[in-house]
Amino acid sequence: MVVAALLAVVVGQALLANGQVQLSALQHELTMEQGSHSLAETSVAQLETPTRIVAAATRGGLVAEPSVIELPYVSLSVPLPTPKVTPAPAPTPPTPSSAGAGAPSGTGSASTSSSATTTPTSTP
């Protein structure tokens, strides 16, 4: 019984040591992957800079060489005047003659609703 208990402890220690070795290998691999990910993020950040994109577009002929761009100066201490806005003209209401232009003359509203899905034809 003592030998079986000692054998069980030795097997348990061997499994624990094997698990620790695997964990250490996975931690090392994780550290390596995190380093490569950090390098990739830095590379992407450098590639995304607006100055690099404009320079590449200029070299490729996508945009003309930018001249000096001057932005207007706006003082923050002086308020701008309120702009004068005129309202848009009111839409004209539809006339009754244009509302029923598609219906044949002389028909009632019941026949108009039943023939709404068909093309109106004239009857003699």
Side-chain angles (χ1 to χ4, degrees):
M1 181 113 147
V2 173
V3 173
L6 287 174
L7 187 60
V9 168
V10 169
V11 169
Q13 289 290 331
L15 289 174
L16 181 63
N18 189 25
Q20 287 177 340
V21 168
Q22 287 178 349
L23 180 62
S24 176
L26 288 174
Q27 284 178 338
H28 177 70
E29 186 179 342
L30 176 64
T31 303
M32 297 298 289
E33 292 298 325
Q34 283 176 336
S36 67
H37 179 73
S38 176
L39 287 174
E41 280 183 334
T42 304
S43 173
V44 167
Q46 289 172 350
L47 291 173
E48 286 180 336
T49 58
T51 55
R52 192 209 66 82
I53 293 171
V54 168
T58 303
R59 274 179 289 168
L62 295 176
V63 293
E65 186 68 32
S67 61
V68 177
I69 298 174
E70 294 184 19
L71 297 176
Y73 174 76
V74 177
S75 173
L76 298 177
S77 62
V78 179
L80 294 174
T82 305
K84 297 192 186 307
V85 180
T86 58
T92 58
T95 59
S97 62
S98 64
S105 62
T107 58
S109 63
S111 64
T112 304
S113 64
S114 65
S115 65
T117 57
T118 61
T119 307
T121 57
S122 60
T123 54

